[in-house]
């Protein structure tokens, strides 16, 4: 049997989805894999914050890419529980994840996650490379794609042509999506969210995943490897406005999270003091989501992760769903590349079919779980409701219904 022609697959972005996809396809004989990444190899080494990866992503990786799953689990801390309290110390929920999941999740630094995912695919990644133009080779036809790039260090430009499949792993503000489909219109939920990673731990106070409320103002924290603590906070703001400068001060943040009826509990007090001592290092953003899109009509463009479905991070499913996307894409593209016809467009359609309903559920559930963070919310009744069978059943669906190989 004669082998078919090699298919050129270009991935824009060596983030979570892009790196995992490159890992899953790098040894396929019928594929020429090129990954384009704006950052330099040393970027993200000290940058960023931390994240929790859901049990569903680890379950999916173990089914599709067990070696990679093993590496991530070995180099992270387990996410075993989810606890919700008020900043005065009153406990509202304490959930062992194995009540609703088949395995723990993980806690890790973003920088470590990038390093672990990129290391096995370095020969396929062109770092410091930005895409400056993209187009179908023949206007109006579903033919190959051409990408023009520029090296951000040398300024040298290059053309990659004959691309059979262009994959967008370039995040929430995807240039690929904007070029070939349309720019998604963000919907802001009226919540400010900030993130901070401090090179300090108090394991007796902060260890596994916990949340603390003072009214709708929420803190979230957990310990990550390397003697560091990840802290995130949120508070309501008008949906049509940016985060006000007055809210970014130590005094304003302390007032948001200190109980009006007394002093903060020891856990919350340490978090508040740590936030106020590191205001200059905080990353600020607004909670937002946008509509979903997986592919162009021709099956020449595939969108994964935040490029496909920008969602609110309330349930920690952003990177988690990017991992699920990548696992399904690896399986379908491997199957297509193994066939004589190399039907990549058919694989793209199957990926969308397998992912759409699942992602729609996750997006909707993440939005609904944001109820306690909105203006006027009652975090006591809202958090207590998360102990009810209905919410737990949705969590079980989220964590257990991961894609199967």
């Amino acid at each position: 049997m004669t082998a078919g022609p090699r298919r050129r697959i270009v991935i824009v972005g060596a983030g979570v989805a892009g790196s995992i996809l490159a890992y899953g396809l790098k040894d396929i004989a019928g594929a020429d894999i090129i990954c384009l990444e704006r950052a330099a190899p040393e970027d993200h080494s000290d940058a960023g914050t931390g994240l929790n990866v859901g049990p569903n992503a680890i379950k999916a990786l173990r089914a599709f890419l067990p070696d990679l799953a093993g590496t991530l689990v070995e180099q992270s801390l387990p996410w075993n529980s989810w606890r919700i309290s008020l900043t005065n110390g009153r406990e509202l929920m304490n959930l062992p994840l194995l009540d609703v999941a088949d395995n723990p999740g993980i806690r890790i630094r973003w920088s470590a996650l990038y390093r672990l995912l990129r290391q096995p695919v370095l020969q396929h990644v062109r770092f410091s490379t930005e895409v400056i133009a993209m187009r179908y080779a023949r206007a109006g036809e579903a033919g190959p794609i051409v990408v023009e790039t520029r090296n951000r260090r040398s300024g040298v430009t290059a053309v990659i042509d004959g691309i059979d499949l262009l994959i967008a792993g370039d995040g929430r503000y995807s240039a690929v999506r904007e070029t070939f489909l349309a720019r998604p219109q963000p919907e802001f939920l009226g919540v400010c969210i900030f993130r901070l990673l401090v090179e300090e731990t108090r394991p007796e106070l902060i260890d596994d995943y916990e949340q603390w409320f003072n009214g709708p103002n929420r803190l979230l924290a957990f310990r990550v490897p390397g003697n560091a603590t990840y802290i995130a906070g949120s508070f309501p703001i008008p949906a049509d406005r940016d985060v006000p400068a007055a809210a970014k001060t130590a005094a304003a943040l302390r007032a948001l999270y200190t109980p009006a009826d007394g002093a903060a509990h020891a856990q919350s007090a340490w978090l508040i003091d740590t936030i106020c001592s590191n205001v200059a290092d905080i990353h600020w953003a607004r909670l937002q989501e946008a509509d979903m899109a997986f592919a162009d009509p021709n099956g020449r463009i595939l969108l994964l992760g935040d490029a496909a479905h920008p969602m609110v991070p309330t349930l920690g499913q952003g990177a988690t769903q990017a991992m699920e996307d990548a696992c399904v894409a690896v399986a379908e593209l491997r199957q297509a590349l193994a066939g004589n016809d190399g039907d990549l467009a058919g694989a793209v359609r199957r990926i969308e079919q397998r992912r759409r309903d699942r992602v729609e559920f996750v997006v909707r559930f993440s939005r609904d779980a944001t109820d306690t963070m909105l203006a006027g919310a009652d975090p006591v009744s809202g958090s207590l409701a998360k102990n009810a069978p209905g919410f737990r059943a949705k969590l079980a669906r989220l964590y257990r219904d991961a894609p199967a190989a």
Side-chain angles (χ1 to χ4, degrees):
M1 183 178 295
T2 303
R6 290 175 63 84
R7 313 306 298 275
R8 173 163 286 181
I9 298 175
V10 171
I11 305 167
V12 179
V16 173
S19 296
I20 293 175
L21 188 59
Y23 178 88
L25 300 180
K26 64 184 177 64
D27 296 324
I28 303 300
D32 177 20
I33 307 299
I34 302 171
C35 189
L36 308 175
E37 171 56 47
R38 294 184 77 254
E42 64 273 14
D43 288 358
H44 305 301
S45 58
D46 298 312
T49 53
L51 78 157
N52 54 305
V53 175
N56 43 310
I58 303 305
K59 184 176 181 178
L61 283 170
R62 282 176 171 157
F64 291 85
L65 299 166
D67 290 347
L68 186 58
T71 298
L72 295 186
V73 170
E74 289 169 5
Q75 298 295 319
S76 62
L77 294 175
W79 174 23
N80 288 315
S81 64
W82 175 7
R83 184 171 180 258
I84 304 177
S85 305
L86 298 181
T87 57
N88 65 14
R90 177 187 172 185
E91 183 178 282
L92 303 174
M93 186 182 91
N94 196 341
L95 174 66
L97 282 196
L98 291 184
D99 286 359
V100 290
D102 296 328
N103 52 269
I106 62 171
R107 294 173 277 144
I108 193 170
R109 297 176 185 235
W110 268 108
S111 56
L113 181 65
Y114 281 137
R115 174 176 53 80
L116 293 171
L117 294 180
R118 291 172 176 172
Q119 184 61 39
V121 296
L122 289 178
Q123 63 180 348
H124 295 278
V125 182
R126 300 182 186 180
F127 288 100
S128 302
T129 300
E130 60 182 349
V131 176
I132 56 176
M134 295 169 275
R135 65 183 185 277
Y136 294 109
R138 298 183 295 272
E141 296 184 26
I145 294 168
V146 176
V147 168
E148 298 177 37
T149 67
R150 177 171 54 221
N151 186 284
R152 300 181 71 202
R153 288 180 166 176
S154 67
V156 173
T157 60
V159 173
I160 307 173
D161 57 12
I163 300 170
D164 298 288
L165 178 62
L166 182 65
I167 299 175
D170 53 343
R172 181 179 295 270
Y173 305 104
S174 169
V176 177
R177 180 170 177 172
E178 183 175 345
T179 299
F180 291 97
L181 283 80
R183 175 185 295 180
Q185 296 302 312
E187 178 182 349
F188 295 96
L189 274 69
V191 176
C192 165
I193 185 167
F194 64 85
R195 300 176 175 89
L196 176 67
L197 185 71
V198 294
E199 302 296 331
E200 182 181 356
T201 59
R202 288 286 300 276
E204 75 282 10
L205 295 176
I206 308 296
D207 189 4
D208 210 343
Y209 182 96
E210 294 197 43
Q211 299 171 352
W212 299 263
F213 282 95
N214 183 46
N217 312 318
R218 191 190 79 172
L219 293 175
L220 179 157
F222 50 85
R223 188 166 58 92
V224 295
N227 197 40
T229 303
Y230 171 63
I231 306 171
S234 68
F235 52 87
I237 59 173
D240 59 350
R241 299 180 193 173
D242 207 344
V243 183
K248 298 180 179 181
T249 66
L253 291 168
R254 185 175 295 278
L256 283 172
Y257 300 107
T258 302
D261 57 353
H265 180 264
Q267 288 181 299
S268 302
W270 184 78
L271 289 172
I272 294 167
D273 288 344
T274 301
I275 291 167
C276 292
S277 299
N278 294 275
V279 171
D281 298 322
I282 288 176
H283 302 254
W284 298 90
R286 289 187 290 167
L287 219 61
Q288 60 178 285
E289 61 182 10
D291 60 303
M292 186 189 317
F294 279 98
D296 70 332
N298 303 320
R300 291 278 183 174
I301 309 293
L302 174 64
L303 282 67
L304 301 175
D306 282 345
H309 40 72
M311 66 180 69
V312 296
T314 308
L315 293 175
Q317 287 290 309
T320 298
Q321 287 303 306
M323 291 182 182
E324 285 195 12
D325 283 352
C327 286
V328 172
V330 165
E332 294 295 345
L333 292 173
R334 277 178 171 176
Q335 180 178 334
L337 292 165
N340 286 336
D341 56 357
D343 184 13
L344 297 180
V348 168
R349 288 190 291 271
R350 291 192 299 272
I351 293 164
E352 179 169 9
Q353 289 166 1
R354 292 182 62 176
R355 294 299 295 151
R356 181 167 288 279
D357 288 349
R358 168 70 172 169
V359 173
E360 284 179 349
F361 161 73
V362 176
V363 168
R364 184 170 59 251
F365 187 26
S366 297
R367 185 191 312 120
D368 292 346
T370 310
D371 58 344
T372 49
M373 301 162 62
L374 303 176
D378 178 3
V380 174
S381 61
S383 297
L384 290 173
K386 290 177 171 60
N387 293 303
F391 187 83
R392 297 293 175 89
K394 287 184 178 180
L395 277 180
R397 179 180 172 189
L398 175 66
Y399 294 146
R400 289 184 170 137
D401 290 359

